[in-house]
Amino acid sequence: MSAAQIDPVREARIDLDAVRRNVAAIAERVRPARVMVVVKADAYGHGAVPVAEAALEAGAAGLGVADLVEAVALRDAGVAAPVLAWLHAPDAPFAEAVARDVDLGISSGEQLERAARAGGEGSAPANVHLKIDTGLSRNGVAPEQWASLVAAAGAHERAGRIRVRGVFSHLANTDAEADAAQAAAFERALAEASAAGLDPELRHLASTAAALESPGSRYDLVRIGIGAYGVTPYGDGRTAADLGLAPAMTLRARVVAVRRVAAGTGVSYDHTWRAERATTLALVPLGYADGVPRQASGRGEVLLAGRRRRVVGRIAMDQFVVEVGDDEVTVGDPVVLFGDPAEGAPTADDWAAAADTIGYEIVTRIGPRVPRTYTRSTASASGDAARTGSEPA
């Protein structure tokens, strides 16, 4: 028997219809701006290729990834849509990116020269998006270097070595005043690019947070990351449901042990929790090796036997315990850590609150030991009515 034939005790179920609905809803809201769906980090833990296909079916104009490894993996899987990669090692293979028709995010003069060499030596120019740092202070060209960079880019474009397809930046999403200052810096950068003779087809500044609530930030394209997966980008109490978005990932397991314990019984490492009375405990086979945050010990909740139940004791590497009191629970019963709140489940954002983090981290950190199962209830472009099955993340 192979590992693939063993019935798993844990599963991340990915609803590709939810991805499509989320992308389509955001695309309608931001129109006429186009939508790039960000599938970096294995689509925030959801599976890059299945999510990319679903996003493109829903009308996404292209895909975003962090690096060329992720971009080439999409090409190897047969994804032909535009792909932008923006985080590069000093020796990243720009020539292969040009050959595989991957757009390059450019954050320095050195990267621009490497892209120009790759385009000049290949059969086609390098497609580039020039990134200006408007205040996030990560990658991106410093404002004082921008004028010389766009001048060089203009010269390379006229020589046929590159095509400046885009100019972009990234908001810090600090507050309205800070975002406005960044938008003004972006406008200045666009004006300097125009003065250098550049006419990019794609100007993009907004990720999910700004795309949903700041029409002036949408320009020609918005980059949708967490919104595609049905997790809120905001930390102000607005939920994904409030935004009309549905979670794509449901993290599930099955109870593997049930025991009755007496009052005073300690649970898990350090006995940080002891039973106040005789009670029943259920053991869930998920732990921090699977991405369940240890910081949520004693605070995270699951849906089990029709009710939300709190984790008791420390979350361990492979397992944790929940208390069910006097309710009847048996080995094999399904447990949902997070999923759709409409079905009574906690959300990824609930677990984020329990772990003092953000929903992005909760879904992205789910590890490779958890099989991904992909479902879609509507007909796909190939005519399949459904597609299910465990596939490697």
Side-chain angles (χ1 to χ4, degrees):
M1 178 180 291
S2 70
Q5 294 172 305
I6 298 174
D7 190 19
V9 294
R10 57 186 77 85
E11 171 195 37
R13 180 166 293 183
I14 313 301
D15 183 352
L16 295 175
D17 279 338
V19 172
R20 286 205 299 271
R21 289 193 298 269
N22 293 337
V23 172
I26 295 171
E28 179 62 29
R29 184 163 174 174
V30 304
R31 202 177 309 275
R34 286 177 272 180
V35 168
M36 170 188 290
V37 172
V38 179
V39 294
K40 65 182 180 179
D42 201 32
Y44 293 40
H46 292 67
V49 173
V51 167
E53 292 171 346
L56 294 168
E57 289 168 5
L63 305 166
V65 296
D67 58 42
L68 292 179
V69 172
E70 295 174 326
V72 170
L74 291 174
R75 290 290 186 250
D76 286 347
V79 176
V83 176
L84 170 64
W86 52 71
L87 194 62
H88 309 300
D91 56 353
F94 281 10
E96 183 171 1
V98 175
R100 303 299 293 272
D101 193 25
V102 174
D103 290 8
L104 294 165
I106 298 298
S107 290
S108 70
E110 187 272 338
Q111 289 180 358
L112 176 65
E113 294 306 314
R114 289 175 51 216
R117 285 196 298 272
E121 295 167 358
S123 59
N127 286 323
V128 302
H129 297 233
L130 308 178
K131 185 172 187 182
I132 173 72
D133 178 13
T134 56
L136 194 56
S137 302
R138 300 192 313 191
N139 61 336
V141 179
E144 61 271 19
Q145 298 169 351
W146 182 250
S148 61
L149 181 116
V150 293
H156 286 309
E157 185 169 66
R158 289 188 291 273
R161 291 184 285 268
I162 68 169
R163 173 190 173 214
V164 179
R165 187 158 186 250
V167 171
F168 73 119
S169 190
H170 198 307
L171 294 172
N173 298 322
T174 303
D175 53 41
E177 183 179 355
D179 284 356
Q182 285 195 257
F186 189 58
E187 285 288 343
R188 291 192 294 272
L190 291 173
E192 289 186 89
S194 179
L198 300 178
D199 185 23
E201 81 177 89
L202 298 174
R203 302 162 300 160
H204 47 113
L205 177 65
S207 57
T208 300
L212 290 177
E213 67 176 12
S214 179
S217 71
R218 293 169 184 164
Y219 291 94
D220 307 299
L221 180 79
V222 296
R223 301 184 305 271
I224 300 303
I226 201 66
Y229 308 102
V231 178
T232 182
Y234 305 117
D236 58 5
R238 282 177 288 178
T239 68
D242 293 335
L243 304 172
L245 305 175
M249 181 186 289
T250 299
L251 182 62
R252 301 152 42 102
R254 291 183 293 171
V255 173
V256 293
V258 177
R259 69 180 59 207
R260 190 75 179 171
V261 299
T265 300
V267 171
S268 197
Y269 295 114
D270 303 322
H271 283 178
T272 58
W273 182 89
R274 291 181 181 273
E276 295 180 354
R277 58 184 176 83
T279 190
T280 299
L281 305 175
L283 185 64
V284 180
L286 281 161
Y288 58 77
D290 306 299
V292 179
R294 188 173 182 270
Q295 296 94 323
S297 297
R299 295 192 286 174
E301 293 184 334
V302 305
L303 178 63
L304 170 59
R307 287 180 51 192
R308 285 175 63 156
R309 323 272 182 168
R310 180 158 295 184
V311 174
V312 295
R314 299 276 195 215
I315 294 171
M317 185 179 292
D318 312 296
Q319 56 200 285
F320 63 81
V321 176
V322 295
E323 183 189 17
V324 299
D326 297 325
D327 292 345
E328 183 176 347
V329 172
T330 61
V331 170
D333 282 354
V335 182
V336 177
L337 273 74
F338 58 80
D340 191 343
E343 298 175 358
T347 65
D349 291 308
D350 290 331
W351 272 85
D356 297 321
T357 185
I358 55 176
Y360 301 66
E361 183 180 354
I362 297 299
V363 293
T364 302
R365 70 189 292 168
I366 301 306
R369 188 168 66 172
V370 181
R372 272 58 167 178
T373 301
Y374 296 94
T375 64
R376 57 173 76 201
S377 58
T378 61
S380 70
S382 62
D384 295 332
R387 184 177 99 180
T388 61
S390 297
E391 299 179 19

